Amino acid sequence: MKLLERARPEILALQPYSSARMESGVAATMLNANESPWPASCTAPALNRYPDPQPAPLRAALAGFYAVAPGNILIGRGSDEAIDLLVRAFCRPGYDAITIASPTFGMYAVAARVQGADVTEVPLTPGFVLDAKALLAAVTPDTKLVFVCSPNNPTGGLVPLPMLAHLAQALRDRAVLVVDEAYIEFADGAASAMTLLDRHDNVAVLRTLSKAHALAGARVGVLIAAAPLVALVRRIQAPYPLPMPSVDAALSALSVSALAATDQRVTAICRERERMARALAGLAEVLAVFDSAANFLCVRFVDARKAWRRLAASGIVVRDVSRYPQLADCLRITIGTPEENAALLGALDARKAAA
Ligand SMILES: *Cc1c(COP(=O)(O)O)cnc(C)c1O
């Protein structure tokens, strides 16, 4: 796979750490990992053994759910870990770069800067649409990763699949197109970039159980990519990245009944999103509510600081994103329960606030 030649040579040459669990798996008497032979008295189930680095049952369940082969999956500590690992596997400090379409999720730039890699920012168009031509024009021989967030955090816009296919094709053998789909479940059945994997071995898709699956506290994210790319990233992942309680929670979340409940929550959030978009657009202090395919709305206010303070005074926190490029006076508002959403609208209503 030619793309792998773009990875850091020192990572390709690295002898990865080999953990006890990787070398020998599970046996009747396990005296190879310096674990306690007794469980702690305070935990049920027992946690005295190191976890399987990539538990086969969870890998199989996720592979089934995402309709890919288990070899196309790397499970990690949230998709944040996958972002970090991809940057560290590909970007040589002081030489290489990533490209992002801003405003977008902040972790891509942070991971790159921690690694000492450059960040090239290409602005979205004024309507918050990805400018594929400008993005490709910004890619240089030093660019190793191009991050596209779809639906985009914090603007909410979905990137059309044909545009992603075009980007993947144009970046072939040069850079990894990382498509972050943290919110795709809220995008009204939009096709995932996973459907591009068959024809584009330079696509890496990030999925997470943190948002639609309601497991942010478990920290489980998934990198889905061509098997050689997954194997490369696996070389630099920590030896035991997945805590057993998180693995159990993830397995439960993928049961038939849990998935049905997830569908219901997603439907409810999408319904509330449309209701909130209309209601917010009708408020005097709101200038614009941007179209969102995620579980939040990006809203431009006459005075975002003032709106933020009024909400805070009612015990409601939203995200002030006004420091992002192109997002002056914008707040990012997560869709909550119908009661929480009603409280937010009530707190913003100037007449009620004045009364
Ligand atoms: C929330 C979020 C993530 C983080 O997901 P984890 O799996 O919880 O690490 C990744 N990408 C985007 C765009 C997000 O908004």
Side-chain angles (χ1 to χ4, degrees), residues 277-297:
R278 282 192 302 274
L280 286 163
L283 296 178
E285 59 265 64
V286 168
L287 293 178
V289 180
F290 300 104
D291 282 344
S292 172
N295 66 340
F296 55 80
L297 290 167

Side-chain angles (χ1 to χ4, degrees), residues 6-12 14 77 80-93 96 98 110-112 114-117 144-145 147 232-233 235-238:
R6 302 282 288 149
R8 287 168 59 198
E10 54 273 38
I11 300 299
L12 294 170
L14 178 78
R77 192 194 63 235
D80 284 338
E81 184 183 22
I83 294 166
D84 184 51
L85 294 177
L86 281 165
V87 168
R88 286 197 282 144
F90 278 90
C91 293
R92 295 167 302 164
D96 293 332
I98 69 162
V110 169
V114 168
Q115 176 67 8
K144 297 293 183 69
L145 305 160
F147 283 93
L232 172 80
V233 174
R235 294 166 71 84
I236 61 170
Q237 194 178 29

Side-chain angles (χ1 to χ4, degrees), residues 129-178:
V129 174
L130 189 75
D131 187 342
K133 207 170 154 202
L135 198 67
L136 290 175
V139 169
T140 73
D142 300 328
T143 307
K144 297 293 183 69
L145 305 160
V146 175
F147 283 93
V148 173
C149 188
S150 177
N152 188 42
N153 179 4
T155 57
L158 188 72
V159 181
L161 198 59
M163 190 184 276
L164 294 173
H166 171 67
L167 288 173
Q169 182 63 36
L171 295 170
R172 174 170 295 267
D173 296 336
R174 297 160 66 200
V176 185
L177 176 66
V178 186

Side-chain angles (χ1 to χ4, degrees), residues 26-296:
V26 175
T29 304
M30 305 222 291
L31 301 176
N32 67 342
N34 301 345
E35 298 151 332
S36 167
W38 300 287
S41 58
C42 55
T43 65
L47 293 175
N48 55 316
R49 299 293 174 188
Y50 279 107
D52 187 332
Q54 292 286 298
L58 182 55
R59 244 185 163 190
L62 286 165
F65 181 60
Y66 293 126
V68 296
N72 295 125
I73 280 192
L74 183 79
I75 314 164
R77 192 194 63 235
S79 34
D80 284 338
E81 184 183 22
I83 294 166
D84 184 51
L85 294 177
L86 281 165
V87 168
R88 286 197 282 144
F90 278 90
C91 293
R92 295 167 302 164
Y95 291 97
D96 293 332
I98 69 162
T99 300
I100 62 174
S102 58
T104 192
F105 187 48
M107 277 307 295
Y108 315 135
V110 169
R113 294 202 173 105
V114 168
Q115 176 67 8
D118 251 2
V119 180
T120 309
E121 293 190 47
V122 178
L124 298 177
T125 68
F128 298 145
V129 174
L130 189 75
D131 187 342
K133 207 170 154 202
L135 198 67
L136 290 175
V139 169
T140 73
D142 300 328
T143 307
K144 297 293 183 69
L145 305 160
V146 175
F147 283 93
V148 173
C149 188
S150 177
N152 188 42
N153 179 4
T155 57
L158 188 72
V159 181
L161 198 59
M163 190 184 276
L164 294 173
H166 171 67
L167 288 173
Q169 182 63 36
L171 295 170
R172 174 170 295 267
D173 296 336
R174 297 160 66 200
V176 185
L177 176 66
V178 186
V179 185
D180 186 341
E181 296 186 335
Y183 300 99
I184 190 97
E185 291 90 344
F186 301 101
D188 200 20
S192 165
M194 290 188 300
T195 55
L196 302 175
L197 286 172
D198 282 347
R199 289 194 299 124
H200 302 281
D201 65 9
N202 61 331
V203 170
V205 180
L206 306 181
R207 300 290 294 254
T208 179
L209 300 188
S210 294
K211 308 283 163 54
H213 296 271
L215 281 190
R219 311 302 303 124
V220 179
V222 186
L223 166 72
I224 301 163
L229 189 52
V230 166
L232 172 80
V233 174
R234 176 96 174 81
R235 294 166 71 84
I236 61 170
Q237 194 178 29
Y240 301 109
L242 303 171
M244 285 173 183
S246 295
V247 170
D248 291 342
L251 274 169
S252 302
L254 296 168
S255 71
V256 173
S257 60
L259 289 174
T262 295
D263 275 349
Q264 289 190 355
R265 283 195 311 273
V266 168
T267 304
I269 293 287
C270 292
R271 196 187 320 118
E272 282 291 298
R273 177 184 69 207
E274 300 318 310
R275 190 177 74 80
M276 288 296 285
R278 282 192 302 274
L280 286 163
L283 296 178
E285 59 265 64
V286 168
L287 293 178
V289 180
F290 300 104
D291 282 344
S292 172
N295 66 340
F296 55 80

